[in-house]
Amino acid sequence: MTELASLHGQTPLSAPPRGPLPHDSHVLAGINRILQEALRASTEEELGQLCLAVAEDLTGAAFSFFGERRDSHDRLDHIAISERGWAAYAGDDPDFSQRQLPNGMKIHGIFGQVILQDRSMIVNDPANHPDRVGTPEGHPMLRNFLGVPLRRDGETFAMFALGNHPTGFTERERAIAEELAPAIVQALLRKRAEVASRASQRRLLSLIEGIPQLVWTAMRDGQWTWVSPQWVAMTGLSVEESLGHGWLAAVHPDDRDAARRFWNGAGEHGELAMEGRLRHGQTGRYRWFKTRATPVRDDHGTIVEWFGTSTDIDTLRRLRERQETLVAELQHRVRNILTIVRSIFTRTVESGGPIDEISDHFRGRLDSLARTQVVATQTRSGRVDLENLIRDELLGVGAIEDDRLSIEGPDISLPADTAETMGLAIHELTTNALKYGALRHPAGRLSIAWAIELKSNSECELIVKWDETGVPAMPVPPVRQGFGTELIREALPYGLGARTRLEFRGGGVLCVITLPWAADDADALNRSTEG
C-alpha cells in the first residue's frame, strides 16, 4: 500500500485549545489542506489518509478510518485507514499486515449506529455501550470513539471514525469533525470526478487511436487545435507543425483553395464535407481522403469547436474510376460486338445458298465470337492468348492436333477487340481448310506460326502466317469474294491497321497477317523469352 507522501515532511496541525469552537485558523487551515492537497492525491485511499491525518491532528485522536456504504446498504467498504491506524495493529492477520483494506464489513456495533441513525456520535465508554460488538484480535483496544456521517444529496453514504482521544472526546471534537465533513465529501467527489474524467479521456484516446481515420479538432476559422497520432503517421507532420493552419502543408496544392473554402460557411452549416488529396509523409504520394467536420456546441447552441475526421478513400476512388472505365469499355464492346454480329449476319445471308448452310455458317461464326468473349472476360486484363485462340478455333470445328498440324510461336496476348477480328479470321481459314484444304485431305499439312519483328524505324510488327501444303487438287480461286475473304482483305486492314496477304495457290491456302505491335508489348515479350 502506498504511503501518503503529502504527510511526510509536514508539521502536524496542533490541536486547538479545548472549549467552545470558534472558526479559528486551525480548523480553516485543516479544511484548506484537505481541499488543496487532495488535488495531488493519486488515489482515493491516498486522499482518505490525508483527510484522516488532518482530523487526527485537529481532534487529538490516536487512529481513524474512512468507510463507504455499499449499494446493498448493509455493508461497509474501507476507503482508507490512517497511518496511525496501520501502525497500531498488533495482530497476525496476513491481509491487514499487508495493508489490504478490509471490505464488506457488516454495518452494526457502535460505528454502525452512526450510519443507521444518520448522526454523529461520541462514545467515551465503549466497553459498556449496548451496541458494543468488540474488536478483532490484534486491533487496538477502543477506549473512546467519535463517528461522523458523510452526506451527499442529503443522504448518508459514508462515515469517518476517530478513536482513543487521551482524555475522551468532547463536543468540541465533534464540532471540529463535523466542520471537516463537508470538505471531505467535496474532496472525495472531486477526486472521483477527476479519476472518471481521466479514465474517460483514456478510453476516448484509445478509441481514437484505434480507428483508421485521421482525427483532429479545429476552431471556427479552420485553425486546428489537436491532431491524432494517425494524422502524424500519415502526413509526417508533427503535432506542432499541424496546428493552426499548418495542416495545409499536407494538402495537395490544387486542393488547398477548396480546403480553405471548406471553412467559409463553418458558422452556418451543421456539417462540412469535402474530398481532397493528402501527401503521404514517407512516400510523398498523394492519396484521396474524405474529410468531414461536425460542430461541438455549448449549452446555447453556439459552435465552440469542430471535430473532424479524414478517411482514406484512395482505393475506393480508384476502384470507382476503374468501374466507370470498365462500364465505358463494356458499352463500347457491346456496341462493337453488335456491329460485328450484324455484319456477320448480313454477309452470311448475302453469300447465298441453302438456308441450312447459311444457318451453319452463321452459327459457327457466332460460336467463334463467343469463344473469344469467354476467354477475354476470364482475365483481369481482358486480353486473349493467341495460341489458345488458334487452338480453340481448331477444336471448335473438330480439328485434332496430329503430325499434319504445326502450331508455333512465342507467348502473345491480344487486346479483346483485336482478338475478336483475329478469331473470326482464324475461324474462316479453319472452316475453309476443313472443307477444301489441308484439314480435309490426309496428305495435307497445316503450319501456323507467328513472331514479333522489329522494323528499321524501331517499330514492331506481329506477323501471323497460315500455310497449307499437300492439298492434291488444284484449288480454284472463288468466283466471288465471300465473308472470310472480305474479312481478311478488307476488315482487318480497316479495323486493325493490318497488312494482309491471301493466296489460293496449288497445294493450299497461304495467309499472312501483319499487325502493328506496341513496343512495350515487344519488350515484355523479349524479357519473358530471355527468362
Side-chain angles (χ1 to χ4, degrees):
M1 182 177 299
T2 304
E3 295 185 357
L4 183 60
S6 61
L7 289 180
H8 292 281
Q10 293 187 1
T11 301
L13 295 172
S14 59
R18 309 192 79 179
L21 177 67
H23 290 286
D24 59 27
S25 59
H26 298 85
V27 178
L28 294 177
I31 292 173
N32 288 334
R33 182 176 165 187
I34 289 174
L35 295 178
Q36 291 177 9
E37 296 192 16
L39 298 175
R40 294 194 290 270
S42 58
T43 64
E44 285 187 12
E45 182 181 3
E46 188 175 334
L47 169 64
Q49 287 187 321
L50 168 66
C51 296
L52 294 176
V54 172
E56 288 172 348
D57 288 345
L58 289 174
T59 63
F63 54 81
S64 57
F65 80 87
F66 183 1
E68 180 177 18
R69 195 175 194 175
R70 280 186 178 179
D71 291 337
S72 60
H73 291 278
D74 63 343
R75 298 286 171 174
L76 190 79
D77 288 342
H78 280 69
I79 293 177
I81 294 175
S82 72
E83 286 295 325
R84 297 174 187 175
W86 290 116
Y89 178 74
D92 56 4
D93 186 330
D95 289 338
F96 207 89
S97 62
Q98 296 175 19
R99 301 180 68 140
Q100 296 292 328
L101 289 171
N103 291 320
M105 182 186 298
K106 185 177 180 180
I107 298 178
H108 66 163
I110 297 174
F111 85 90
Q113 296 304 309
V114 176
I115 294 178
L116 296 175
Q117 297 184 28
D118 188 22
R119 64 183 181 87
S120 58
M121 290 180 57
I122 295 176
V123 178
N124 283 325
D125 186 14
N128 295 314
H129 194 279
D131 293 308
R132 180 181 181 274
V133 293
T135 57
E137 181 182 355
H139 286 256
M141 181 182 296
L142 189 64
R143 297 191 300 272
N144 47 61
F145 169 86
L146 170 59
V148 178
L150 300 176
R151 299 182 179 89
R152 177 182 58 198
D153 299 327
E155 180 180 352
T156 296
F157 76 99
M159 65 164 292
F160 71 98
L162 305 166
N164 292 4
H165 187 281
T167 59
F169 291 104
T170 68
E171 290 301 318
R172 178 177 180 80
E173 283 76 41
R174 184 206 299 260
I176 291 174
E178 290 177 348
E179 285 281 323
L180 295 177
I184 293 174
V185 172
Q186 182 179 349
L188 177 63
L189 298 183
R190 182 189 298 173
K191 176 55 62 179
R192 287 184 173 175
E194 177 189 332
V195 170
S197 177
R198 287 201 303 265
S200 177
Q201 290 175 357
R202 287 194 298 269
R203 288 194 297 269
L204 179 59
L205 185 59
S206 297
L207 174 63
I208 289 175
E209 292 180 349
I211 63 177
Q213 286 85 0
L214 317 182
V215 186
W216 43 268
T217 59
M219 294 189 293
R220 294 182 60 181
D221 59 354
Q223 293 193 60
W224 286 16
T225 55
W226 175 84
V227 296
S228 69
Q230 295 94 316
W231 169 270
V232 175
M234 161 62 194
T235 64
L237 295 177
S238 66
V239 174
E240 293 74 17
E241 291 171 331
S242 304
L243 300 183
H245 289 105
W247 56 272
L248 280 168
V251 180
H252 192 285
D254 293 343
D255 296 333
R256 287 175 187 171
D257 287 341
R260 293 186 182 96
R261 290 194 300 270
F262 179 77
W263 292 101
N264 289 346
E268 293 76 25
H269 299 89
E271 184 173 346
L272 303 175
M274 69 165 288
E275 292 185 6
R277 289 160 289 183
L278 296 176
R279 184 177 59 84
H280 191 282
Q282 293 184 348
T283 65
R285 179 179 173 272
Y286 285 92
R287 297 183 62 85
W288 284 94
F289 279 78
K290 177 77 172 183
T291 295
R292 293 183 176 88
T294 302
V296 179
R297 304 178 185 272
D298 61 17
D299 294 339
H300 304 289
T302 303
I303 298 175
V304 294
E305 68 174 344
W306 290 82
F307 182 84
T309 59
S310 297
T311 304
D312 191 331
I313 60 168
D314 193 77
T315 302
L316 180 62
R317 188 182 178 100
R318 294 181 187 279
L319 288 174
R320 185 173 61 197
E321 292 173 352
R322 174 61 177 162
Q323 184 181 37
E324 292 172 354
T325 301
L326 289 175
V327 170
E329 290 178 354
L330 178 62
Q331 293 173 340
H332 170 74
R333 290 184 60 182
V334 168
R335 288 193 298 267
N336 186 56
I337 291 173
L338 289 176
T339 300
I340 294 174
V341 171
R342 187 183 298 111
S343 175
I344 291 173
F345 177 78
T346 301
R347 296 299 295 124
T348 303
V349 172
E350 289 177 351
S351 65
I355 188 64
D356 291 344
E357 184 177 335
I358 293 175
S359 176
D360 288 343
H361 283 310
F362 184 63
R363 185 183 301 109
R365 289 158 183 165
L366 284 185
D367 288 346
S368 172
L369 188 62
R371 284 193 294 272
T372 304
Q373 296 305 312
V374 169
V375 176
T377 56
Q378 287 177 343
T379 60
R380 294 184 61 182
S381 64
R383 299 174 73 91
V384 179
D385 182 77
L386 176 58
E387 182 174 353
N388 289 338
L389 176 67
I390 293 171
R391 292 186 181 277
D392 285 347
E393 290 300 333
L394 291 170
L395 290 174
V397 296
I400 301 175
E401 184 177 356
D402 54 25
D403 56 357
R404 299 183 304 152
L405 181 62
S406 171
I407 301 175
E408 184 178 6
D411 290 337
I412 293 292
S413 60
L414 302 175
D417 54 352
T418 301
E420 290 167 356
T421 311
M422 282 293 294
L424 286 173
I426 299 297
H427 172 76
E428 294 301 318
L429 290 169
T430 302
T431 302
N432 184 77
L434 186 65
K435 288 186 175 181
Y436 311 109
L439 297 180
R440 178 179 180 179
H441 299 283
R445 297 289 184 271
L446 172 59
S447 173
I448 307 172
W450 60 92
I452 298 291
E453 290 190 1
L454 181 64
K455 297 173 64 177
S456 58
N457 57 359
S458 300
E459 294 180 356
C460 299
E461 291 181 332
L462 169 62
I463 301 176
V464 181
K465 184 177 181 180
W466 176 287
D467 190 7
E468 298 179 27
T469 59
V471 178
M474 180 68 67
V476 178
V479 177
R480 62 182 180 84
Q481 182 169 286
F483 175 81
T485 303
E486 180 180 335
L487 175 69
I488 294 171
R489 289 179 173 170
E490 299 180 11
L492 283 173
Y494 177 78
L496 303 180
R499 299 195 314 275
T500 61
R501 174 185 170 192
L502 179 62
E503 297 180 4
F504 295 90
R505 38 171 213 184
V509 172
L510 172 66
C511 179
V512 180
I513 301 172
T514 303
L515 291 168
W517 196 251
D520 292 343
D521 291 334
D523 292 340
L525 173 64
N526 292 333
R527 288 193 296 270
S528 65
T529 303
E530 293 171 358

